[in-house]
């Protein structure tokens, strides 16, 4: 039962035993809250549920969202109206004073700035909308698109655009993971400072060991 091998020189690894704690990778932990004050109307996920990137975990009814959408629609209507006015003045073939045309063109630029400002306000709320895409739609199709902005496709198939509140603000997961904490119940009044969900990527963990200095 003996085995003979040549003598060799090599590092001898040392073993240290120490207590340790498994933690989530802090670079892959998201603390989710609503981007505007409101009340929770729907909770989609519970603790332990897996989530995909961009998946909705809750819906908040926030008055600021409805106002931002209304302001955006109004700004679009004003821009379209002023743009048509300029086109009519330019088509007059010089029959209209140049000062009047310049004034109308200035009004168009102001209206465009307002559109971009309200568009950015919606983006800040997590509702990406683009005027360049909306302008290709008919006016009657623009309103439903903005009313339900930010909601996933499965909601769009079940909700009536004419009866659904324009205040709905989705809370979405920024990456795939698991819900490890939840502090959201329907009807609760929330604000951006309140963490509603904690989502962690459990595919990679940290082992933090308490090793003695010596």
């Amino acid at each position: 039962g003996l085995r003979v091998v040549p003598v060799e020189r090599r590092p001898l690894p040392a073993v240290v035993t120490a207590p340790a704690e498994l933690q989530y990778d802090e670079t892959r932990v998201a603390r989710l809250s609503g981007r505007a004050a409101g009340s929770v109307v729907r909770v989609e996920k519970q603790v332990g549920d897996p989530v995909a990137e961009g998946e909705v975990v809750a819906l908040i009814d926030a008055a600021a969202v409805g106002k931002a959408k209304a302001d955006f629609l109004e700004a679009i209507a004003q821009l379209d109206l002023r743009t048509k006015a300029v086109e009519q003045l330019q088509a007059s073939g010089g029959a209209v004073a140049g000062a009047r045309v310049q004034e109308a063109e200035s009004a168009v630029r102001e209206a465009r700035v307002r559109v971009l400002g309200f568009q950015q306000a919606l983006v800040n709320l997590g509702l990406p909308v683009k005027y360049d895409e909306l302008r290709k739609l008919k006016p009657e199709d623009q309103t439903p698109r903005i009313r339900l902005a930010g909601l996933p496709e499965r909601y769009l198939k079940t909700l009536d655009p004419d009866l659904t509140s324009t205040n709905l603000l989705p809370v979405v997961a920024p990456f795939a993971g698991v819900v490890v904490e939840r502090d959201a119940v329907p009807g609760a009044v929330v604000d951006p400072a309140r963490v509603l969900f904690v989502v962690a990527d459990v595919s990679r963990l940290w082992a933090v060991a308490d090793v003695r200095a010596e």
Side-chain angles (χ1 to χ4, degrees):
L2 298 179
R3 185 167 60 95
V4 179
V5 295
V7 175
E8 61 178 316
R9 184 186 298 272
R10 64 182 181 185
L12 182 64
V15 177
V16 176
T17 302
E21 179 182 3
L22 288 179
Q23 298 180 358
Y24 301 118
D25 183 345
E26 287 298 326
T27 64
R28 298 289 292 172
V29 175
R31 293 167 176 81
L32 310 181
S33 60
R35 298 193 182 188
S39 59
V40 179
V41 295
R42 196 164 179 171
V43 176
E44 298 290 344
K45 295 294 181 178
Q46 310 297 330
V47 174
D49 288 346
V51 294
E53 180 179 353
E55 188 173 2
V56 174
V57 296
L59 288 178
I60 296 175
D61 187 303
V65 173
K67 183 179 185 306
K69 291 178 179 178
D71 291 340
F72 186 51
L73 284 172
E74 181 181 356
I76 290 177
Q78 288 292 330
L79 177 56
D80 291 344
L81 182 62
R82 293 179 181 182
T83 300
K84 292 179 181 178
V86 168
E87 293 173 349
Q88 292 175 355
L89 293 176
Q90 292 174 341
S92 63
V96 180
R100 185 176 175 186
V101 175
Q102 292 179 356
E103 181 180 350
E105 291 176 343
S106 176
V108 169
R109 288 192 292 270
E110 292 178 0
R112 184 173 290 109
V113 170
R114 283 175 53 83
V115 167
L116 294 177
F118 289 126
Q119 175 181 284
Q120 186 59 48
L122 288 173
V123 171
N124 294 342
L125 289 170
L127 304 174
V129 293
K130 296 182 179 180
Y131 170 68
D132 292 338
E133 297 178 357
L134 290 172
R135 65 183 299 184
K136 301 176 184 178
L137 302 177
K138 297 179 181 180
E140 58 269 22
D141 296 329
Q142 292 177 352
T143 300
R145 176 72 65 86
I146 296 178
R147 287 176 63 93
L148 302 179
L151 297 181
E153 188 67 26
R154 65 188 184 91
Y155 286 118
L156 302 181
K157 296 179 180 179
T158 59
L159 297 177
D160 186 345
D162 297 327
L163 301 178
T164 303
S165 171
T166 61
N167 298 351
L168 294 182
L169 176 64
V171 180
V172 301
F175 50 76
V178 174
V179 176
V180 295
E181 292 183 27
R182 193 204 81 179
D183 186 23
V185 292
V189 177
V190 297
D191 58 54
R194 178 174 173 177
V195 176
L196 302 179
F197 292 86
V198 177
V199 174
D201 179 2
V202 297
S203 65
R204 182 174 60 189
L205 300 175
W206 286 355
V208 181
D210 184 10
V211 182
R212 296 168 55 185
E214 59 272 21

